[in-house]
Amino acid sequence: MKSFAAVALTALCTVQNVAAHATFQALWVDGADFGGQCARQPASNSPVTNVASNDLRCNAGSSRPAAKCAVKAGSTVTVEMHQQPNDRSCASEAIGGAHYGPVMVYMSKVADATTADGSGGWFKIFQDTWGKNATGASGDDDFWGVKDLNKCCGKMSLAIPADLAPGDYLLRAEVIALHTAGSAGGAQLYMTCYQISVTGSGSATPPTVVFPGAYKAADPGILVNIHAALATYVAPGPTVYAGGSTKKAGSACSGCEATCAAGAGPSATASTVSVPLPTGGGGGGTGGCTVAKYAQCGGNGYTGCTTCGSGAVCSAVSPPYYSQCV
Ligand SMILES: *[C@@H]1O[C@H](CO)[C@@H](O)[C@H](O)[C@H]1NC(C)=O
Ligand SMILES: [Cu+2]
């Protein structure tokens, strides 16, 4: 018979997340903080280590929120990673424990971002991988996307290709931590899919790869000992789409100053903005969103978030046209 203490401990272990491990959990669009409203939050901050698993698409047990974040093609998005859910402070590293490796971002065009399973084609739109440290002794001393991410309080900014066809996409942000990648199956892959709706007048449909399939356990960017000196590092997966971008490892916050001054990023209560849903959307209130005090939360034609932040209630100030959080 299981004692109460054993049951309680088991329950605790499943909810308590491992220190150092991390999840991408928030999304900014052109400097507007959407928080976790359109992020498929993974069930835990543990990595995926089997590159042949379907979990490689959007992580294990991830949620599917009702909301999508609207993004204009060509605009800048910022993906944000932290060790613990909803801890957006800059006090601890975004991903700790010398979990060095590349940061990469993919997209997949889907019929509906809230229901897509990620089995369709993916194209890479961004990477920040590796750079040689001339005075360093090993790969640990080198420049890595993860070091840039950590300098930016967990944030990495990148452009959504301007030429993309409009429609729903999954946006997949990924860190591959290589500290134990010297043996097969040792690389730790951390990914989150964000549900976005891209607007614009482009028509490009880039060539794609699939997950699983795009990575092999023996890829030189996945099976690699970074505690030895590295002459080069070959990031796994396809090359970055021509309309995408790369960031030079070692450039730290360059390109994301607006959202990631180290040590001065958003607090745990960073405000979120409402999500414009696609036509026919029924309000973003189920997406884990929050409306700031005095902002709109309802009224005729309003399709945004309807949940007020703590301490405030949604009140009809000018019925039926306008409700706000008071
Ligand atoms: C580069 O190597 C030197 C010497 O080991 C080290 O002090 C420095 O921190 C390294 N730079 C990075 C970005 O790790
Ligand atoms: Cu780890």
Side-chain angles (χ1 to χ4, degrees), residues 217-233:
D219 282 350
I222 290 183
L223 180 59
V224 56
N225 175 14
I226 67 164
H227 309 305
L230 297 180
T232 188
Y233 175 76

Side-chain angles (χ1 to χ4, degrees), residues 143-231:
F143 303 106
W144 290 102
V146 160
K147 291 186 183 181
D148 290 342
L149 189 74
N150 281 341
K151 284 219 174 74
C152 292
C153 189
K155 302 182 193 71
M156 188 66 82
S157 294
L158 56 132
I160 297 297
D163 58 358
L164 284 190
D168 274 17
Y169 288 81
L170 292 176
L171 178 78
R172 177 182 176 279
E174 175 180 48
V175 156
I176 303 185
L178 299 168
H179 56 300
T180 54
S183 53
Q188 300 187 346
L189 297 89
Y190 298 86
M191 75 295 296
T192 288
C193 292
Y194 298 95
Q195 303 172 168
I196 66 172
S197 293
V198 172
T199 57
S201 53
S203 59
T205 55
T208 59
V209 297
V210 292
F211 290 117
Y215 299 168
K216 297 279 180 282
D219 282 350
I222 290 183
L223 180 59
V224 56
N225 175 14
I226 67 164
H227 309 305
L230 297 180

Side-chain angles (χ1 to χ4, degrees), residues 24-29 32-39 69-71 77-80 88 171 194-196:
F24 281 103
Q25 50 190 264
L27 184 74
W28 303 62
V29 181
D33 182 3
F34 281 77
Q37 292 171 77
C38 57
C69 288
V71 182
V77 296
T78 304
V79 293
E80 181 177 341
R88 305 182 70 184
L171 178 78
Y194 298 95
Q195 303 172 168
I196 66 172

Side-chain angles (χ1 to χ4, degrees), residues 77-171:
V77 296
T78 304
V79 293
E80 181 177 341
M81 171 174 258
H82 295 285
Q83 294 186 30
Q84 303 300 332
N86 303 314
D87 175 14
R88 305 182 70 184
S89 96
C90 300
S92 46
E93 286 180 313
I95 177 164
H99 278 37
Y100 304 138
V103 180
M104 302 185 285
V105 180
Y106 293 82
M107 290 177 80
S108 177
K109 190 158 195 328
V110 296
D112 182 343
T114 62
T115 57
D117 66 1
S119 61
W122 294 88
F123 53 98
K124 195 189 271 180
I125 60 162
F126 172 83
Q127 64 185 13
D128 180 344
T129 63
W130 170 88
K132 184 77 181 166
N133 179 348
T135 61
S138 74
D140 284 295
D141 293 326
D142 287 343
F143 303 106
W144 290 102
V146 160
K147 291 186 183 181
D148 290 342
L149 189 74
N150 281 341
K151 284 219 174 74
C152 292
C153 189
K155 302 182 193 71
M156 188 66 82
S157 294
L158 56 132
I160 297 297
D163 58 358
L164 284 190
D168 274 17
Y169 288 81
L170 292 176
L171 178 78

